[in-house]
Amino acid sequence: MQSNQKIALIGLGKMGSAIAEKLLEAGLALVVFNRTQNKTEPLQKMGAQVADSIQSAVSDADIVFTSVIDDEALLSVSKEILAHAKKGAIHVSTSTILPNTAKELEAMHEDAGCIYIASPVLGIPKAVRAKKATTFCSGNQTAIKKIIPLLETYSAMVENMGGSISHANVFKVCMNYSLITAIELISELYVFAEKSGVDKAYIQGALKYMYSHPAVHVYIDKIYQRDFDQVNFDMKGGNKDVHLFQKAFLDAGVSPDLASVFESKVTEALANQMENKDWSAVSDVIRRRSGLE
Amino acid sequence: MQSNQKIALIGLGKMGSAIAEKLLEAGLALVVFNRTQNKTEPLQKMGAQVADSIQSAVSDADIVFTSVIDDEALLSVSKEILAHAKKGAIHVSTSTILPNTAKELEAMHEDAGCIYIASPVLGIPKAVRAKKATTFCSGNQTAIKKIIPLLETYSAMVENMGGSISHANVFKVCMNYSLITAIELISELYVFAEKSGVDKAYIQGALKYMYSHPAVHVYIDKIYQRDFDQVNFDMKGGNKDVHLFQKAFLDAGVSPDLASVFESKVTEALANQMENKDWSAVSDVIRRRSGLE
């Protein structure tokens, strides 16, 4: 890997911290910044330089990674980055955002003489740490070729989806949309089986035979055991995601019917003190609606 | 196999005919009956005896298979069977019906000194002919042991779900419910990708990686190619099935939210001269709603 590249990473939530660890493990020089400082300590011990502002983090960087919660946060952080970044700097955005926001960000970066790359991650922080994530990227192809070795420090597979900036985000929406559909299906079938007196282990076995993807198998077991305090992805995150899917579909002129089914349960979960449970606890909403417990 | 068993089969639709062929291929003596006579000819050539009434088909039979369209048809045919069957005759019902109807049928059969076995088939007629179907059965365990060799003439796997008569039907509902959810998901994602300018081959690849079941792969390709005149299962059948799932869930006190999403498209398909298309042509309804073609 090019050791003379200067890399910054902004946003040290669970996902941002995991990506930072992998870049450091690969022996890369990394400057990190987070609004709340305490998240930087473990990374500092691993050799990261800690910046006290976005300006000082990015002013010298060739490549800037960001990992933030939503479209609004990314637009705001991007404005600060572009005010201080070097000409030609590459911004690698790992967040799950709307396809249309990616288009807006690409234009903003071009105006400032920088390059925006969409690079959302499929996988939870644990998968990133195990180098088992999948990364989809789209945008400027010369820049993508430069950053692929960096993405490969945490991804088992990097899928280059070409020059249209929004395509990686469209694909990420499709993957997460599939996951909420699976969670809803698994939950409904277990409850239907339980109410019908059928051992739900039959359903568990059949679902595993139907799905091959390990992420779906995690939920087939998690919902079976009703293990919602071990959080893969929390209900607040689920709420953000489901509204993002709906907006993305509506922007494309497609009715997000399966997402709306899931949304109704997330809303009820949030209204009933379940905001810190795993998002698959929608299953308990379906149970309660069906008269169980 | 016991060559002295007398077997009858009533209902020579696509599925009933396929099962009859497999029983004949196994060298079993078979009497068949169908309301419209012309369906009996190919089976007669294979050695089946053709009866001219339910009475003459069943009066001598130890085992009676039925394959009919819906709950109402099965209740009506069962009354005729029970009026003429021998004491102790076993009725093997291969139809997809409501769990509660199975309970009602079991009681009717007990009152008449006969045995009702729920034995729905997962698989299309082609799978039955290739001996690749899966059969779930539930009910009287002594009778099930007797009939398993017969079910194995057309099933790759026979799953005995125990003594509670409704359990095989609950499980069949769960499997078909999974299939409509997959069809809806595949259809929505292709349309979303197409409207977003993303090559839907990406989605096709990801869906195949997510699902392992070959039946789902059939639909991933079928909907990709929009090949709805090659009919796996027609829209009229889909309409019957989706209402059955809804009724089964409602009977159990569970809201069939994913089924309702699918139902809306089946209704629109039937209102638009698509009754003879494959049920996965709901995909074209989603396309039209989204402004494609």
Side-chain angles (χ1 to χ4, degrees):
Chain A
M1 231 164 291
Q2 272 185 269
S3 57
N4 59 342
Q5 286 179 130
K6 292 182 177 159
I7 309 173
L9 189 150
I10 294 165
L12 299 172
K14 285 172 196 159
M15 184 58 88
S17 294
I19 293 172
E21 286 174 25
K22 300 307 281 183
L23 292 169
L24 289 167
E25 280 175 16
L28 293 154
L30 187 68
V31 183
V32 296
F33 172 77
N34 197 53
R35 299 244 178 245
T36 54
Q37 281 274 336
N38 64 338
K39 299 277 181 63
T40 58
E41 284 163 24
L43 297 166
Q44 196 164 24
K45 283 179 191 153
M46 289 180 72
Q49 189 186 328
V50 176
D52 59 3
S53 68
I54 289 184
Q55 176 173 359
S56 71
V58 307
S59 57
D60 202 29
D62 303 298
I63 297 165
V64 180
F65 280 79
T66 55
S67 171
V68 298
I69 183 67
D70 59 17
D71 297 54
E72 198 188 355
L74 183 57
L75 284 164
S76 152
V77 164
S78 293
K79 275 175 203 154
E80 273 197 78
I81 292 171
L82 292 176
H84 306 291
K86 293 197 294 189
K87 293 282 164 208
I90 302 170
H91 174 186
V92 183
S93 166
T94 65
S95 307
T96 296
I97 58 160
L98 288 172
N100 279 347
T101 305
K103 290 180 191 167
E104 187 183 341
L105 283 161
E106 184 182 53
M108 272 172 57
H109 283 65
E110 272 176 20
D111 289 347
C114 293
I115 300 165
Y116 178 81
I117 299 295
S119 188
V121 184
L122 186 63
I124 58 175
K126 203 168 113 181
V128 165
R129 287 200 174 86
K131 207 189 155 183
K132 284 185 177 168
T134 302
T135 290
F136 316 113
C137 53
S138 52
N140 182 304
Q141 292 292 297
T142 311
I144 284 178
K145 280 197 190 88
K146 274 190 203 157
I147 62 160
I148 280 180
L150 303 177
L151 306 180
E152 284 175 345
T153 65
Y154 58 89
S155 310
M157 191 169 84
V158 176
E159 177 92 65
N160 181 350
M161 298 190 67
S164 297
I165 193 69
S166 62
H167 285 193
N169 295 108
V170 168
F171 195 64
K172 180 73 198 305
V173 166
C174 288
M175 294 304 92
N176 285 26
Y177 194 86
S178 301
L179 208 50
I180 62 167
T181 306
I183 291 175
E184 172 81 21
L185 175 69
I186 296 162
S187 304
E188 288 189 22
L189 292 187
Y190 284 162
V191 175
F192 173 60
E194 188 172 341
K195 294 279 289 188
S196 303
V198 170
D199 185 347
K200 66 184 182 168
Y202 280 113
I203 310 296
Q204 184 186 32
L207 285 168
K208 285 192 175 174
Y209 181 57
M210 178 165 306
Y211 286 102
S212 42
H213 199 285
V216 181
H217 280 225
V218 166
Y219 288 108
I220 291 170
D221 287 340
K222 199 171 187 61
I223 300 171
Y224 184 87
Q225 291 150 3
R226 300 179 57 208
D227 168 25
F228 306 124
D229 290 317
Q230 284 277 88
V231 174
N232 241 346
F233 189 60
D234 69 20
M235 196 64 76
K236 279 179 292 186
N239 187 48
K240 177 240 161 188
D241 256 27
V242 75
H243 289 109
L244 184 108
F245 308 156
Q246 291 178 312
K247 180 85 170 62
F249 266 60
L250 293 171
D251 283 347
V254 185
S255 180
D257 295 351
L258 292 171
S260 304
V261 162
F262 192 76
E263 183 206 20
S264 151
K265 280 101 189 187
V266 172
T267 304
E268 187 169 333
L270 291 177
N272 287 277
Q273 293 78 48
M274 291 164 71
E275 63 273 16
N276 294 319
K277 302 269 183 192
D278 190 78
W279 66 337
S280 59
V282 294
S283 157
D284 272 356
V285 174
I286 297 172
R287 284 174 61 83
R288 192 162 49 198
R289 286 188 188 181
S290 304
L292 291 171
E293 71 225 80
Chain B
M1 231 166 288
Q2 271 186 269
S3 57
N4 57 344
Q5 287 179 129
K6 291 182 178 161
I7 309 173
L9 189 150
I10 293 163
L12 298 173
K14 286 172 195 160
M15 185 57 90
S17 294
I19 293 172
E21 285 173 27
K22 298 309 281 184
L23 293 169
L24 288 167
E25 279 174 17
L28 295 155
L30 186 69
V31 183
V32 296
F33 172 78
N34 197 53
R35 299 245 178 245
T36 54
Q37 280 274 338
N38 63 338
K39 299 277 180 64
T40 59
E41 284 164 23
L43 297 166
Q44 195 164 24
K45 283 180 191 153
M46 288 180 72
Q49 189 185 329
V50 176
D52 58 2
S53 67
I54 289 183
Q55 175 171 0
S56 71
V58 307
S59 57
D60 202 30
D62 302 297
I63 296 165
V64 181
F65 280 80
T66 55
S67 172
V68 298
I69 184 67
D70 60 17
D71 297 55
E72 198 189 354
L74 183 57
L75 285 163
S76 151
V77 165
S78 292
K79 277 176 201 151
E80 273 196 77
I81 292 171
L82 292 175
H84 305 291
K86 294 198 294 191
K87 293 282 166 209
I90 302 170
H91 174 185
V92 183
S93 165
T94 66
S95 307
T96 297
I97 57 158
L98 288 172
N100 280 348
T101 304
K103 290 180 191 168
E104 186 183 341
L105 283 161
E106 184 182 54
M108 271 172 59
H109 283 66
E110 271 177 21
D111 288 348
C114 292
I115 299 165
Y116 178 81
I117 299 296
S119 188
V121 183
L122 186 61
I124 58 176
K126 203 169 112 179
V128 165
R129 288 201 173 88
K131 207 188 155 184
K132 284 185 177 167
T134 303
T135 291
F136 316 112
C137 53
S138 53
N140 182 304
Q141 293 292 296
T142 312
I144 284 179
K145 279 198 193 87
K146 274 191 206 158
I147 63 160
I148 278 180
L150 303 178
L151 306 179
E152 284 174 344
T153 65
Y154 58 87
S155 309
M157 191 169 84
V158 176
E159 178 91 66
N160 181 350
M161 298 191 65
S164 297
I165 193 68
S166 62
H167 286 192
N169 295 108
V170 168
F171 195 63
K172 179 74 198 305
V173 166
C174 288
M175 294 303 92
N176 285 25
Y177 195 85
S178 302
L179 207 51
I180 62 166
T181 305
I183 290 174
E184 172 81 21
L185 174 68
I186 296 161
S187 304
E188 288 189 22
L189 292 187
Y190 284 163
V191 175
F192 173 60
E194 188 172 340
K195 293 279 289 187
S196 303
V198 170
D199 185 348
K200 65 184 185 172
Y202 280 113
I203 311 297
Q204 184 188 31
L207 286 167
K208 285 192 175 173
Y209 181 58
M210 178 165 304
Y211 286 101
S212 41
H213 199 285
V216 181
H217 280 225
V218 166
Y219 288 108
I220 292 171
D221 287 339
K222 200 173 186 60
I223 299 171
Y224 184 87
Q225 291 150 2
R226 301 180 55 209
D227 169 25
F228 306 124
D229 290 317
Q230 284 276 89
V231 174
N232 240 347
F233 188 61
D234 69 20
M235 195 65 74
K236 280 178 291 186
N239 187 48
K240 176 238 161 189
D241 254 28
V242 75
H243 290 109
L244 184 108
F245 307 156
Q246 292 179 309
K247 181 85 168 64
F249 267 60
L250 294 171
D251 284 349
V254 185
S255 180
D257 295 349
L258 292 172
S260 303
V261 162
F262 192 76
E263 182 207 21
S264 151
K265 279 104 189 185
V266 172
T267 303
E268 186 169 332
L270 291 177
N272 287 277
Q273 293 77 50
M274 290 164 72
E275 64 272 17
N276 295 318
K277 301 270 180 191
D278 190 79
W279 65 337
S280 58
V282 293
S283 158
D284 271 356
V285 173
I286 296 172
R287 285 174 60 83
R288 192 162 46 199
R289 287 188 188 182
S290 304
L292 291 172
E293 74 224 78

